[in-house]
Amino acid sequence: ANLDRLEPWLAEVSLAGAVYTRAGAQTSLGVEAVLSAAAPATVARRALETPAEQIGIFDQTPLADQIASLRTSVEELEKDAGGYLKLVEAWRSGDPGRLDREALQPLREASPTLYRRLVTERNARWVAELDARLKGKGRTVVVVGVGHLVGDEGLPTRLRALGYSVTGP
């Protein structure tokens, strides 16, 4: 009943969050939270986008694409409730092909428009921002979701194309 009142994108995010929590995920133990807590308070922190921009990506996606993505997520949850743990294992093992299959392929197939908005377009914007930051002084630590790290459109591949040495996927 609570999900019925939500737009499809928010229902999908809510369902995924509930599944991840049930599987033991805790935001306080996520990469961003752990790194942020370990960094000195004097370290500058800058986001690649605002929360409003993130919400806008979902909210401005055509309704049909939101519904297609939600439908695929529900089907995946019914078929494989342990999918989140498979994704975590793929991340831990550093297997980019498996990460792509587990994290990105379902979205790419269910909603090419949402995939483009969430991954491809964001990576294109972010690589320009990262290029500017990396040309500056000091160290830059960047934390992004795993879906932005793999494949031909991923940030490491895009940064390598600009001539940067990147360790990782």
Side-chain angles (χ1 to χ4, degrees), residues 20 26 44 53 61 84 87 124 140 150-151:
Y20 298 165
Q26 299 174 40
E53 288 171 322
T61 297
Y84 169 74
L87 178 60
T140 299
V150 297

Side-chain angles (χ1 to χ4, degrees), residues 6-82:
L6 303 177
E7 292 186 45
W9 70 265
L10 186 52
E12 182 175 7
V13 168
S14 298
L15 282 172
V19 169
Y20 298 165
T21 299
R22 179 181 279 174
Q26 299 174 40
T27 56
S28 63
L29 298 177
V31 174
E32 184 176 0
V34 171
L35 289 177
S36 185
T42 57
V43 170
R45 290 160 170 82
R46 296 185 305 183
L48 292 169
E49 60 195 10
T50 67
E53 288 171 322
Q54 292 174 351
I55 290 170
I57 290 168
F58 289 104
D59 195 48
Q60 295 165 14
T61 297
L63 188 59
D65 292 290
Q66 292 181 40
I67 291 168
S69 184
L70 172 60
R71 183 173 290 122
T72 297
S73 291
V74 169
E75 288 169 359
E76 286 177 3
L77 290 172
E78 289 175 343
K79 182 175 71 177
D80 184 10

Side-chain angles (χ1 to χ4, degrees), residues 46-48 123-135:
R46 296 185 305 183
L48 292 169
N123 286 351
R125 284 193 311 273
W126 293 354
V127 79
E129 172 77 16
L130 293 174
D131 184 36
R133 288 185 192 186
L134 291 168
K135 288 178 178 170

Side-chain angles (χ1 to χ4, degrees), residues 90 93-105 108 150-151 169:
S93 68
D95 183 341
R98 188 169 165 204
L99 286 168
D100 183 71
R101 287 188 305 277
E102 299 288 340
L104 297 177
Q105 191 60 34
R108 223 180 351 255
V150 297

